[in-house]
Amino acid sequence: MKGWIYRLNIQQRLLVYFVVVILVSVSLVTWLFYRQTTLEIKKQSEGYLEYIVENASYQTDLFIRDLELATLPLLTDRTVKGFLEIDESQRLEQYYYSKEIKSQMHNLNLKYQHLNLIYLLGENGQYVLSKNKSSMEEEPFPSKAIYRSLLKTTPENGRIRLLADRSLYNQEYVVSIVRRVRGLSSFVPKGILGVELNGTALEELWNIAQFENGTSLWIFDDNHRVVYHPDQKWLGNPIGKQLEDQLTTTDKKTFTGEWDGTEMIFYADHSDQTNWTLVAMTPKEVIYEPVAGMKKQVVFVLVLSLMVALVVSIGFANSIVKPLRKIQKGMKKMEIGEWEPIKPLRGTDEISSVVTSYNKMIDRLSTLVDDLYAAELQNHKVLYEKQKIELQALQSQINPHFLHNTLETMNSYAILNDAEEISEMAIALSQMFRYSVRNLEIVTLEDEMNHVKNFMIVEEHRFQKHLPITFEIEEDLFDEEVVKLSLQPLVENAIHHGLRKNRYQGEITIRAAAEEKRLRVEVIDNGAGITPARLRDIRKVLRREKYEDVSNKMGIGVSNVHRRIQLLFGEQCGLTIQSQQGEGTKVSMEIPRKDRRIKAG
């Protein structure tokens, strides 16, 4: 599927590339512009909602504070306090007190025309209303029940409490400011003073008429019930679980949510003065309406850009492709031996340069063919000379048989001169050399043992020390096959890194044991041992984690044995090392037995 672009010719590819580049560029620019515009509009709308809420919250707090201060004269008036302490039998006093209190309520009503009702309720059941109840009502005014209900919600310290409920006068939905009133002779609250406020007072206070684009402002209390809303059907109703969760789980004052089936952008702010939360919201669709009209324009501009790009790219592609096609025709003629130059192009661009270079290539082609023949002859001459030099180098190399015969001659001279040590070393070296040049990778365990014995003869004469070595190998294992030259490097390692550090005090043991499928050969010394740090490094080398450090950590011979075993029998075989510093070292070699290798092969 990915290779379809390579099946197109150059002109078609250029057209595809141009369309893709322009489409991506225009789409990216359009998307960035659209996104930035959307963010700016949203930011402006959020700022507008914030201004509305902050301004309304400030005005509301100021209005409630003024109204609270305006009711203070009623709270401190002796007539009010005296009215709360008279009993029902004092009819005359009750009449005069009520008349005086109503006069003060009337004055408060004149100052604040949006007050629906002012009332004073006493615990003794007496009450005063700024407006008289209708005489047509069949049931008496339930002053005691209302008093008990309000007493539960009003603070004991005399602070105001804002309530949203039905009016005591005409059952309309109003906002009430209530507070407790103390008696004349004690500090114990004897009554409750309440002021009912019409919703139109808040609307005029906020100047709702200036709100635009479907923006609305409403309030809910600490019980998440709507205190004020332009649509009266929401008054007293809960704001809803979804909106409540959004308000309580987010730290942001601005968020997006749903209200009455419409997606809105909200801004909410809580007032500590009133313990209300003011919310301004506006439909999201209205906010983004200016951006929505841009989509059609964007699509139109995109299509128009693509059409213009196609026309321009076709002309541009033709100006590139036509000269290349001429070169292509000339190359095809050159393949069949017709070396015909192309008419030069006007200009100094890369394609014109290619045509000029092509014509120069045609002019020099015949000359290059002649030079090629001459070069071939010269190459043959150089190759002949090189082979001659290599042959001379090979002839100068030492002949293995010559070295073997020389060692035999040295042995004969040693015998004639009674030099037994030299004779013994010459015989051992001769046998070691003959063994090492055998063109075999796999040998018997007995051959390896004999090679080790010859090696030990040479080592004892070198160091003039007796190096005890023990072979704990059963005769029935002598014919088991092992890798050639695998034991001698391990024994050499035991001498130089184990016994030598203890002044050659100790011994070397070689053990062999056969299992059903594997042969294990162990080289053990009781020499100096290996430090834990170096042992870790050696094991990393054997695992090929630090293979470049072979010569520094354990010597080329041992690592060579390990690697040759793995190359012949697989990564699961090879050497393992166990050592205790001051006690000695054991190197174990595991390889599959012959019958196992035949089955695996």
Side-chain angles (χ1 to χ4, degrees):
M1 185 64 183
K2 294 181 179 179
W4 68 271
I5 190 69
Y6 299 107
R7 293 193 289 270
L8 303 177
N9 57 40
I10 294 179
Q11 185 176 18
Q12 292 171 337
R13 285 194 206 178
L14 288 174
L15 292 177
V16 172
Y17 294 152
F18 282 135
V19 170
V20 171
V21 169
I22 294 174
L23 185 62
V24 171
S25 302
V26 174
S27 300
L28 182 60
V29 172
T30 303
W31 177 78
L32 290 174
F33 176 75
Y34 181 82
R35 183 173 179 272
Q36 188 63 28
T37 304
T38 303
L39 291 176
E40 287 297 327
I41 291 177
K42 183 181 179 182
K43 185 177 180 181
Q44 292 179 3
S45 300
E46 291 175 353
Y48 174 64
L49 294 178
E50 180 181 1
Y51 169 77
I52 291 176
V53 171
E54 297 295 339
N55 186 51
S57 179
Y58 173 76
Q59 293 179 353
T60 303
D61 291 348
L62 190 61
F63 178 76
I64 296 298
R65 193 180 300 112
D66 289 344
L67 196 58
E68 179 183 0
L69 294 174
T71 59
L72 282 178
L74 283 174
L75 295 176
T76 58
D77 189 83
R78 296 181 62 84
T79 304
V80 173
K81 294 178 179 291
F83 174 78
L84 295 176
E85 293 190 349
I86 62 176
D87 54 34
E88 295 181 357
S89 62
Q90 297 174 297
R91 297 291 183 179
L92 184 60
E93 288 83 353
Q94 181 180 1
Y95 170 76
Y96 285 114
Y97 281 141
S98 299
K99 184 177 179 180
E100 179 62 25
I101 293 171
K102 279 191 176 184
S103 176
Q104 295 187 43
M105 290 180 176
H106 178 70
N107 293 333
L108 190 59
N109 259 327
L110 292 177
K111 184 176 180 181
Y112 297 94
Q113 298 181 1
H114 294 289
L115 299 182
N116 184 64
L117 179 68
I118 305 173
Y119 56 87
L120 178 66
L121 304 179
E123 66 178 3
N124 54 10
Q126 300 182 95
Y127 63 91
V128 178
L129 305 179
S130 62
K131 297 179 180 180
N132 293 326
K133 295 289 289 182
S134 174
S135 59
M136 300 297 294
E137 293 182 359
E138 298 178 358
E139 297 181 0
F141 185 69
S143 61
K144 290 186 178 181
I146 297 173
Y147 176 81
R148 288 192 296 270
S149 176
L150 294 176
L151 192 64
K152 296 177 182 179
T153 60
T154 52
E156 295 181 359
N157 58 5
R159 297 295 300 274
I160 65 170
R161 170 71 174 176
L162 296 173
L163 302 174
D165 207 342
R166 299 291 178 180
S167 172
L168 301 180
Y169 176 69
N170 52 13
Q171 295 300 308
E172 291 183 359
Y173 205 87
V174 293
V175 176
S176 299
I177 303 173
V178 295
R179 64 196 309 175
R180 296 186 182 186
V181 184
R182 294 186 175 89
L184 187 62
S185 59
S186 69
F187 288 99
V188 179
K190 295 292 185 176
I192 291 178
L193 176 66
V195 179
E196 294 181 358
L197 184 66
N198 292 328
T200 55
L202 296 176
E203 293 177 358
E204 292 185 7
L205 181 67
W206 299 333
N207 195 11
I208 290 180
Q210 69 175 353
F211 294 169
E212 301 176 351
N213 300 327
T215 302
S216 59
L217 182 66
W218 50 280
I219 304 173
F220 66 88
D221 58 18
D222 51 355
N223 294 320
H224 297 99
R225 303 185 72 85
V226 178
V227 174
Y228 167 79
H229 196 283
D231 188 352
Q232 294 190 359
K233 72 176 184 179
W234 294 105
L235 297 177
N237 293 326
I239 62 175
K241 179 66 176 175
Q242 181 180 1
L243 190 57
E244 182 179 338
D245 291 341
Q246 285 182 291
L247 287 166
T248 54
T249 57
T250 181
D251 295 332
K252 298 181 179 179
K253 293 185 177 182
T254 305
F255 58 92
T256 302
E258 189 173 310
W259 180 266
D260 198 19
T262 304
E263 193 171 8
M264 297 282 191
I265 295 180
F266 295 87
Y267 183 89
D269 186 32
H270 182 75
S271 171
D272 295 330
Q273 173 73 20
T274 61
N275 208 23
W276 286 345
T277 300
L278 277 73
V279 181
M281 65 181 184
T282 188
K284 188 176 181 180
E285 182 180 0
V286 175
I287 292 177
Y288 294 129
E289 185 176 1
V291 182
M294 295 175 56
K295 292 183 179 180
K296 294 182 180 179
Q297 298 178 3
V298 169
V299 173
F300 174 75
V301 171
L302 186 61
V303 173
L304 182 62
S305 301
L306 286 176
M307 292 177 63
V308 173
L310 283 174
V311 173
V312 174
S313 59
I314 289 173
F316 182 73
N318 285 333
S319 65
I320 297 176
V321 172
K322 284 182 179 180
L324 293 178
R325 285 176 178 170
K326 290 181 179 181
I327 297 175
Q328 183 184 26
K329 290 180 181 179
M331 295 292 289
K332 288 183 177 180
K333 290 182 178 181
M334 189 178 65
E335 290 177 358
I336 59 177
E338 298 180 8
W339 299 343
E340 180 180 341
I342 301 173
K343 182 180 178 181
L345 301 176
R346 292 180 296 177
T348 58
D349 55 81
E350 289 82 356
I351 298 178
S352 300
S353 178
V354 170
V355 172
T356 302
S357 300
Y358 173 80
N359 291 333
K360 289 181 180 180
M361 180 186 65
I362 295 297
D363 293 337
R364 296 191 58 189
L365 191 57
S366 57
T367 304
L368 291 175
V369 171
D370 294 337
D371 293 342
L372 179 62
Y373 283 121
E376 283 293 325
L377 291 174
Q378 183 65 26
N379 287 338
H380 281 292
K381 183 178 180 181
V382 172
L383 181 61
Y384 172 75
E385 293 294 334
K386 182 179 179 182
Q387 290 176 344
K388 184 177 179 180
I389 293 172
E390 290 178 352
L391 180 60
Q392 291 175 351
L394 290 172
Q395 289 176 347
S396 65
Q397 293 179 354
I398 298 175
N399 191 319
H401 294 286
F402 171 75
L403 291 176
H404 175 69
N405 293 334
T406 301
L407 290 171
E408 290 291 337
T409 303
M410 290 173 60
N411 178 42
S412 299
Y413 277 112
I415 293 173
L416 291 174
N417 291 280
D418 294 328
E420 295 182 2
E421 291 182 353
I422 297 176
S423 174
E424 191 176 11
M425 287 183 66
I427 293 172
L429 284 172
S430 175
Q431 291 177 354
M432 288 178 66
F433 187 75
R434 177 181 292 179
Y435 179 75
S436 63
V437 298
R438 290 171 60 184
N439 190 20
L440 294 173
E441 287 289 344
I442 304 297
V443 296
T444 65
L445 183 57
E446 185 178 14
D447 291 337
E448 275 295 288
M449 290 167 54
N450 293 331
H451 182 67
V452 169
K453 290 176 181 178
N454 289 323
F455 171 74
M456 293 299 292
I457 292 173
V458 175
E459 291 292 281
E460 286 182 351
H461 286 300
R462 282 181 60 199
F463 300 112
Q464 295 296 308
K465 297 284 185 180
H466 175 63
L467 303 174
I469 184 169
T470 304
F471 294 92
E472 298 181 359
I473 302 175
E474 301 292 337
E475 291 186 6
D476 57 354
L477 299 179
F478 283 1
D479 291 332
E480 292 288 336
E481 294 185 345
V482 295
V483 178
K484 186 179 75 172
L485 298 177
S486 58
L487 290 182
Q488 178 260 322
L490 304 182
V491 174
E492 182 179 2
N493 203 54
I495 293 173
H496 289 282
H497 297 287
L499 301 185
R500 188 177 66 176
K501 293 183 178 180
N502 288 350
R503 298 185 178 182
Y504 299 100
Q505 299 298 318
E507 61 178 353
I508 300 174
T509 304
I510 299 179
R511 295 174 183 169
E515 300 177 357
E516 181 181 357
K517 299 179 180 179
R518 286 182 176 271
L519 175 67
R520 174 185 288 269
V521 182
E522 299 175 343
V523 178
I524 307 169
D525 71 81
N526 56 356
I530 306 173
T531 63
R534 190 181 179 197
L535 183 61
R536 284 195 298 270
D537 291 338
I538 293 174
R539 286 172 175 170
K540 288 182 179 179
V541 172
L542 294 180
R543 293 196 299 268
R544 302 177 68 190
E545 295 179 10
K546 292 185 176 179
Y547 209 66
E548 68 277 2
D549 296 335
V550 168
S551 59
N552 296 330
K553 297 298 181 183
M554 58 180 297
I556 296 175
V558 176
S559 61
N560 182 284
V561 172
H562 178 71
R563 189 60 186 148
R564 285 193 294 121
I565 292 174
Q566 289 187 331
L567 290 174
L568 288 172
F569 302 126
E571 297 288 338
Q572 71 277 10
C573 300
L575 301 180
T576 57
I577 298 180
Q578 298 177 351
S579 182
Q580 187 71 31
Q581 190 173 5
E583 296 183 5
T585 303
K586 180 172 69 175
V587 182
S588 302
M589 174 175 59
E590 283 195 6
I591 58 175
R593 300 184 69 185
K594 182 178 179 181
D595 294 340
R596 176 62 178 170
R597 294 200 297 271
I598 293 175
K599 292 178 182 179

